[in-house]
Amino acid sequence: MKLSATLPTARDKLLFTPGPLTTSLSVKQAMLHDAGSWHFEFNAKVKWVREKILEVAALSSDAGWEAILLQGSGTFGVEAVFATCVPPNGKVAVLANGAYGERMALMLQHLKIDHLVLRTPENTPNDPAALDRALAADTTITHVAIVHCETTTGLLNPIAEVGRVVKSHRRGYIVDAMSSFAAIPIDLAAAGIDYLISSANKCIEGVPGFSFVICRREALLACEGYARCLSLDLLDQLKGFDKNGQFRYTPPTHSLLAFEQAMKELEYEGGVAGRGARYRRNHETLVKGMKQLGFRPYLNPAVQSYIITSFSYPDSESFAFDAFYRRLSDRGFIIYPGKISRANTFRIGSIGRIFPSDIDALVSAIGRVLNEMGVKMV
Ligand SMILES: *Cc1c(COP(=O)(O)O)cnc(C)c1O
């Protein structure tokens, strides 16, 4: 019988994706337990995890901050903030330059919340001056929503600069930091962030199962009565934790056990600075290697994050993405298709439990696969 990746002796393929991502063996092993969702030992872990998330953000509950965990993927967390924190007659300005900004607009459409979308091209950061004009022109806008690292391309948006504009107009500020939190330092107070959303399976290197929202306790308490749905009611979720330390409704128990271990490993690596440094080395190794093969990154380096990198398809008749993807998968490497609407690209993530040596191995495999396919790079 052929040794296949489904046999327990084989190694998992490496994920060069933006989440779920490759996790450490110890994070996976942490899930080999059953935990009672109401049990005091599990509740103590929930409490510990919530405090640790604030620590990663250089905040604390003593200073009035909360980290609220919510079942579901990252999208659920973003939608929960809109559903809970925008008043009934509120209006949201969304800054969009990729799929995740567009998804925010879609959520607001579903929630029947008034909104406008300020778009820039997918290779261009959000425009603080355009936002400034929009906020001055429309005083009914109550909140501004932005994506920090637009995972569609890997572009980094200027959240601090935009935050200064938002605060000068005294509006609420919602930041999707899904793919940047814990790997790129974010000063919530300095950027004027009221709600920051991230999830278990991105740069903290846990497994999927929940998102979390960081906000000021008083601000969320002031949203009483706004919630448009029950399961995504973030304020009710906070009250549940207040009352008995529990999630309302069944928690992702195994995911939380994995996350607890992932948080310890983040600390061991040197926190946000240590993790960010490894991801940066991964990214630099990737770009250097890919350029040697003849690839061009899609973004200008000035706006490129070290989280995920988009590369344009080779300009060759012999190149077909599906075949390229399959051949890399056969060699144990999973890359990510492009999501950019106007350009033919694929993406390679630098995040997860991967190291520069893994990136080197990926780049060599890409070189061999292109040879096999008869793709000549120019
Ligand atoms: C991953 C991600 C999300 C959430 O996606 P889910 O599939 O719901 O986890 C949202 N925004 C950004 C920028 C992301 O990278």
Side-chain angles (χ1 to χ4, degrees):
M1 195 177 135
K2 200 173 150 228
L3 184 68
S4 93
T6 56
L7 286 175
T9 48
R11 197 174 88 151
D12 287 339
K13 293 176 182 182
L14 287 174
L15 302 175
F16 296 88
T17 57
L21 12 94
T22 292
T23 55
S24 69
L25 179 62
S26 35
V27 163
K28 288 186 268 282
Q29 281 171 334
M31 292 187 284
L32 298 176
H33 300 281
D34 302 311
S37 62
W38 39 265
H39 183 59
F40 61 86
E41 284 165 327
F42 182 73
N43 295 345
K45 290 180 189 296
V46 171
K47 185 167 188 284
W48 183 87
V49 157
R50 293 181 59 212
E51 276 299 332
K52 278 288 165 188
I53 290 172
L54 292 180
E55 251 178 55
V56 170
L59 302 169
S60 77
S61 54
D62 290 342
W65 292 87
E66 295 282 355
I68 303 156
L69 315 181
L70 184 72
Q71 297 95 326
S73 78
T75 303
F76 292 60
V78 179
E79 193 156 355
V81 170
F82 290 140
T84 309
C85 307
V86 178
N89 53 357
K91 181 170 180 178
V92 181
V94 177
L95 299 174
N97 49 4
Y100 293 100
E102 296 298 335
R103 189 179 293 175
M104 284 177 159
L106 210 54
M107 289 171 195
L108 292 163
Q109 208 177 309
H110 277 72
L111 290 164
K112 300 182 172 55
I113 294 174
D114 197 9
H115 60 281
L116 83 165
V117 185
L118 297 171
R119 291 188 176 84
T120 45
E122 283 167 324
N123 61 1
T124 308
N126 303 143
D127 182 354
L131 176 68
D132 193 30
R133 289 192 296 273
L135 294 179
D138 187 347
T139 54
T140 68
I141 296 169
T142 53
H143 293 78
V144 174
I146 191 172
V147 179
H148 187 202
C149 173
E150 190 29 283
T151 321
T152 307
T153 51
L155 182 145
L156 210 55
N157 279 310
I159 53 170
E161 202 182 339
V162 168
R164 278 193 290 278
V165 172
V166 176
K167 290 298 124 173
S168 75
H169 290 274
R170 299 168 177 272
R171 315 294 165 89
Y173 193 28
I174 299 165
V175 178
D176 169 349
M178 211 68 66
S179 62
S180 56
F181 184 75
I184 299 176
I186 301 172
D187 185 335
L188 277 85
I193 299 171
D194 298 297
Y195 299 95
L196 180 145
I197 308 107
S198 189
S199 79
N201 61 282
K202 300 252 171 156
C203 299
I204 294 176
E205 299 185 358
V207 306
F210 63 94
S211 61
F212 53 85
V213 177
I214 301 176
C215 64
R216 284 203 173 81
R217 180 177 178 82
E218 287 306 317
L220 186 56
L221 292 178
C223 297
E224 184 72 54
Y226 294 172
R228 291 156 178 85
C229 53
L230 176 65
S231 58
L232 296 183
D233 183 342
L234 209 57
L235 175 54
D236 205 41
Q237 186 86 341
L238 174 64
K239 288 178 183 170
F241 288 128
D242 281 352
K243 190 170 94 194
N244 52 20
Q246 296 175 22
F247 281 75
R248 300 169 309 153
Y249 325 130
T250 301
T253 44
H254 296 79
S255 173
L256 195 109
L257 297 178
F259 193 77
E260 180 193 27
Q261 177 61 27
M263 283 303 242
K264 290 178 184 166
E265 293 177 16
L266 172 64
E267 197 166 333
Y268 184 76
E269 192 171 10
V272 178
R275 179 128 318 164
R278 173 163 58 89
Y279 289 174
R280 183 188 289 280
R281 284 197 304 278
N282 284 348
H283 170 73
E284 287 169 357
T285 306
L286 176 69
V287 170
K288 185 162 173 262
M290 291 294 276
K291 278 185 175 165
Q292 276 167 4
L293 291 178
F295 281 95
R296 278 179 304 110
Y298 167 74
L299 290 176
N300 180 327
V303 300
Q304 168 75 60
S305 68
Y306 47 75
I307 302 297
I308 186 165
T309 313
S310 299
F311 294 97
S312 305
Y313 283 2
D315 194 8
S316 161
E317 292 281 301
S318 311
F319 183 83
F321 179 76
D322 288 350
F324 178 64
Y325 178 92
R326 259 200 177 276
R327 283 171 188 266
L328 285 174
S329 164
D330 288 345
R331 292 170 186 267
F333 304 98
I334 304 295
I335 62 165
Y336 211 55
K339 214 178 199 175
I340 300 169
S341 47
R342 286 166 205 282
N344 273 330
T345 60
F346 61 86
R347 291 176 285 175
I348 297 178
S350 317
I351 64 179
R353 195 99 299 230
I354 50 175
F355 297 84
S357 54
D358 299 313
I359 302 276
D360 281 334
L362 168 69
V363 171
S364 315
I366 289 175
R368 286 196 299 274
V369 163
L370 290 177
N371 257 337
E372 284 172 13
M373 292 175 73
V375 176
K376 297 254 186 315
M377 303 288 295
V378 278

